[in-house]
Amino acid sequence: MNTIRTAMLLAAMTALFMGVGFLIGGTGGMMIALLIAAATNLFSYWNADKMVLSMNRAVEVDEKNAPEYYAIVQGLAQRAGLPMPKTYLIDNPQPNAFATGRNPQNAAVAASTGLLQQLSHEEVAAVMAHELAHVEHRDTLTMTIVATLAGAISMLGNFAFFFGGNRDNNNPFGFVGVLVAMIVAPFAAMIVQMAVSRTREYEADRRGAEIVGNPLWLASALDKIARGAERIRNPDAERNPATAHLFIINPLSGERMDSLFSTHPNTDNRIAALQAMARDMTEAAATPQPAPRQADEQQPSGPWEKAAQAEPEAQPAKPKSNPWGRNPTGPKGRWS
C-alpha cells in the first residue's frame, strides 16, 4: 500500500510540475517544464548523494578509524542481504542519521557523532538498520526525485513572477494562472514532498526492526533522537532544509504534531507502532509449537532442526544503558 501511495504522489508531483509550466506559458511552457524536469532528475540521479553528504560535511570512515560503527553497518548489511554501503560520520552533537544513494549498489549511510555518543550499541544498530531499510526499498532515490521536482516547481514560480505578465507568453489563464504558479503550486509541491517522506518512515521502521531483530531498540532510539533534536541545533541542516526529510528524525525542530506540514510522522506514533510490533513478536514466540514427531518419523537432525527446537525469548530484550564511551570511533577516531 505504501508503494502504491508513493507512486501516486510522485505522479501528482510530475503532473503539478507540468501544470505550472502550462499556467506560465501554455503548451510551450509545459514542454519546457518537462525538459527541465528531465534534466534536473538526470543530474540528481547521478549526483544527489554526493551533494547531500557534502552539505552535511560527512567524512567517510572504515574499519580502521571507526571499527565499532563500521562493524555494525557491515553486520546489518549482511543480515539484510545488501551490499556494504559507504559509511560516513558527521561531526555534529545532534543525534541523527540518514541514508542516500541511487540504488543499493551505490548507497551511503551517515551517522552523527552525537548519535554514537548518546545511544547504546543496540540503539545505534537499530537506527542503522532503519537507514538500510530505506536503501533496500530505494526510498533515497524516490525522495531525491521528489525534492528535485519540488525545487524546480519553486523555480518555475519565480519565473512566473518575472515573465507571467507578458501577453505574448501564451498563458491561457492570465493573471490567475500566474498567481497559481507563484504561490499555490510551490505550496502544493511542499505538501506532496512531505507526504511522500512520511509514507516511507513507518515502513522503514518496521523493516529496520526486522533486520536488527528487536523493535524496542529502535523505539528507544527514536525517543532519544527526538529529544536530542529538540535540545541541540544542527547548523548544516538549518542551512540546507531541503535535506531534512532524509534524516531519521527531523533535524530542524522537535516536531510534535503528526500534521500535514511535518516532514516526519509523529515520533510517539512511530514508537507506539514499534511497541505493538514487539508485542506481536512476543505473542508469536509464546504460541505453542506443534507436538514433536514420533521417533520413527523423525529425519536426521541438522542445524535448522536445532534452531527450530530452541526456546524463544519470552520478552524482547530492552536496550542496554551503557553508552559508547568517550571515543565512539575507535582508537584512531577523527574526533576522539
Side-chain angles (χ1 to χ4, degrees):
M1 180 60 68
N2 276 337
T3 301
I4 296 175
R5 185 179 179 185
T6 299
M8 293 174 62
L9 290 169
L10 284 172
M13 179 70 81
T14 303
L16 180 61
F17 187 88
M18 297 180 66
V20 171
F22 183 74
L23 288 172
I24 296 175
T27 304
M30 184 171 63
M31 294 306 298
I32 293 174
L34 179 61
L35 292 174
I36 294 175
T40 53
N41 284 335
L42 182 63
F43 177 83
S44 63
Y45 180 84
W46 292 104
N47 299 284
D49 55 341
K50 302 179 185 65
M51 293 172 58
V52 171
L53 292 166
S54 176
M55 288 176 183
N56 290 277
R57 296 185 293 176
V59 176
E60 187 173 1
V61 296
D62 54 27
E63 65 275 12
K64 294 181 180 179
N65 55 14
E68 289 184 276
Y69 171 44
Y70 188 89
I72 284 178
V73 177
Q74 187 176 49
L76 292 171
Q78 291 175 352
R79 292 189 64 174
L82 293 170
M84 178 62 184
K86 292 183 178 180
T87 309
Y88 288 80
L89 270 177
I90 303 169
D91 187 11
N92 193 304
Q94 184 191 84
N96 228 317
F98 67 85
T100 185
R102 60 183 181 273
N103 54 40
Q105 290 72 35
N106 296 276
V109 293
S112 69
T113 51
L115 184 88
L116 302 186
Q117 291 166 344
Q118 298 177 37
L119 272 62
S120 71
H121 184 281
E122 292 84 359
E123 290 165 342
V124 171
V127 170
M128 302 321 296
H130 171 100
E131 300 307 331
L132 288 176
H134 279 308
V135 172
E136 183 179 45
H137 297 156
R138 298 176 185 264
D139 294 338
T140 52
L141 177 61
T142 300
M143 291 310 304
T144 298
I145 293 174
V146 171
T148 303
L149 286 174
I153 289 174
S154 298
M155 180 182 65
L156 288 181
N158 293 332
F159 286 167
F161 177 78
F162 291 105
F163 304 111
N166 189 345
R167 295 184 178 181
D168 297 328
N169 64 359
N170 298 319
N171 181 349
F173 295 97
F175 177 76
V176 174
V178 174
L179 186 64
V180 171
M182 289 175 55
I183 301 176
V184 179
F187 183 73
M190 178 185 67
I191 292 175
V192 174
Q193 180 185 8
M194 293 175 177
V196 172
S197 175
R198 293 167 63 198
T199 61
R200 307 311 302 162
E201 290 303 317
Y202 284 116
E203 183 63 21
D205 286 346
R206 184 195 65 78
R207 177 56 181 151
E210 290 177 351
I211 294 172
V212 80
N214 194 324
L216 295 181
W217 294 352
L218 182 55
S220 178
L222 290 176
D223 179 62
K224 288 185 179 180
I225 297 171
R227 287 188 279 113
E230 292 177 351
R231 300 191 314 269
I232 305 170
R233 188 173 182 272
N234 188 330
D236 293 327
E238 295 290 346
R239 285 193 295 268
N240 304 284
T243 66
H245 62 278
L246 295 176
F247 287 82
I248 188 170
I249 291 290
N250 185 359
L252 303 180
S253 63
E255 186 66 50
R256 302 306 301 170
M257 297 177 61
D258 197 2
S259 66
L260 186 63
F261 304 102
S262 172
T263 57
H264 293 70
N266 177 271
T267 303
D268 291 338
N269 292 348
R270 295 170 68 181
I271 291 174
L274 288 165
Q275 291 172 338
M277 182 179 177
R279 288 193 296 270
D280 291 342
M281 292 173 63
T282 302
E283 293 173 0
T287 302
Q289 300 297 317
R293 293 171 293 179
Q294 298 297 325
D296 57 348
E297 296 178 356
Q298 291 180 351
Q299 300 295 325
S301 61
W304 295 276
E305 192 81 17
K306 294 179 181 178
Q309 295 173 1
E311 299 228 354
E313 295 182 4
Q315 178 72 25
K318 294 184 178 180
K320 297 178 182 178
S321 59
N322 296 333
W324 278 64
R326 289 174 53 190
N327 183 9
T329 62
K332 297 181 180 179
R334 178 182 175 87
W335 300 293
S336 58

